[in-house]
Amino acid sequence: DSIKDLGKQNINFALNGDGQNIGFLTIANKYSSTKSGNLAQYYAARCQYELGKYQDAISLMREFDTDNKIFKSTSLGFIGDCHIQLGKVDAAMKNYESASSEEYKNEITTPIYLMKQAQIYAKRKNDYCKALDIYNIISLEYKQKEGLNIQKYISEASLRCKK
């Protein structure tokens, strides 16, 4: 537990500073119109998540602004992860769908958020047919990432899909 407490102290320090050094929240607020302030917003959201403050993390991440489609996809997926922690599965799904949409499609994050969608369909909504459709997309289009281990998920969903 002391290691866990030390980790939380470090995250809290990064978020709020220590009185001599400012934290991500102060940087994000004080320099919000700069690239550094914007990036501090992103890191502050990540810290809030690690501290279990998921709603605060969502609020901060929604303020994060980027033209980089991988960062944008990651920020949308992160909001989905926060919603999962809050038990808001439908809200999470919308964020994962946005994160993997054509607008943000890329080799790095798209298969991750497609996989999260498929897992929601399979494990939370008991819709193995929809999960199977997504697993097949991952298998065909993203062989280098999630596609490497996708066959076990395809097999399970195939057995459970009642088409």
Side-chain angles (χ1 to χ4, degrees):
D1 277 342
S2 62
I3 291 175
K4 197 178 209 181
D5 291 339
L6 182 60
K8 284 194 177 198
Q9 285 176 349
N10 288 338
I11 292 168
N12 198 40
F13 169 73
L15 184 63
N16 298 306
D18 66 356
Q20 291 183 328
N21 301 293
I22 61 174
F24 290 131
L25 280 177
T26 301
I27 295 168
N29 290 329
K30 196 171 185 180
Y31 304 101
S32 62
S33 61
T34 69
K35 285 184 181 182
S36 296
N38 188 48
L39 196 54
Q41 189 87 21
Y42 178 88
Y43 288 121
R46 305 292 289 185
C47 288
Q48 293 286 31
Y49 180 91
E50 292 301 321
L51 294 171
K53 298 178 179 177
Y54 306 115
Q55 198 58 56
D56 291 339
I58 291 169
S59 297
L60 286 164
M61 192 60 79
R62 282 189 176 140
E63 296 296 318
F64 174 68
D65 185 39
T66 184
D67 292 331
N68 180 300
K69 72 180 185 179
I70 292 174
F71 259 129
K72 186 62 179 178
S73 173
T74 301
S75 68
L76 290 166
F78 173 82
I79 292 170
D81 293 344
C82 291
H83 283 303
I84 285 290
Q85 293 298 325
L86 293 169
K88 299 178 179 178
V89 176
D90 291 336
M93 181 64 89
K94 285 180 185 177
N95 279 277
Y96 295 147
E97 287 169 348
S98 294
S100 63
S101 69
E102 199 60 40
E103 183 178 4
Y104 304 117
K105 189 173 184 178
N106 67 80
E107 293 288 321
I108 298 168
T109 63
T110 302
I112 293 168
Y113 298 120
L114 285 172
M115 189 66 170
K116 288 185 181 210
Q117 290 172 58
Q119 291 292 291
I120 288 173
Y121 279 116
K123 305 298 183 200
R124 304 234 181 173
K125 296 183 179 264
N126 214 25
D127 187 343
Y128 285 91
C129 297
K130 185 68 175 161
L132 180 59
D133 291 342
I134 296 171
Y135 292 143
N136 282 325
I137 291 168
I138 296 168
S139 175
L140 292 171
E141 295 183 25
Y142 301 98
K143 294 181 188 325
Q144 302 301 352
K145 189 86 172 141
E146 267 63 16
L148 293 173
N149 298 314
I150 200 71
Q151 209 52 49
K152 65 182 175 184
Y153 296 103
I154 290 173
S155 296
E156 179 187 5
S158 294
L159 290 172
R160 294 176 180 235
C161 177
K162 310 279 194 256
K163 279 190 177 178

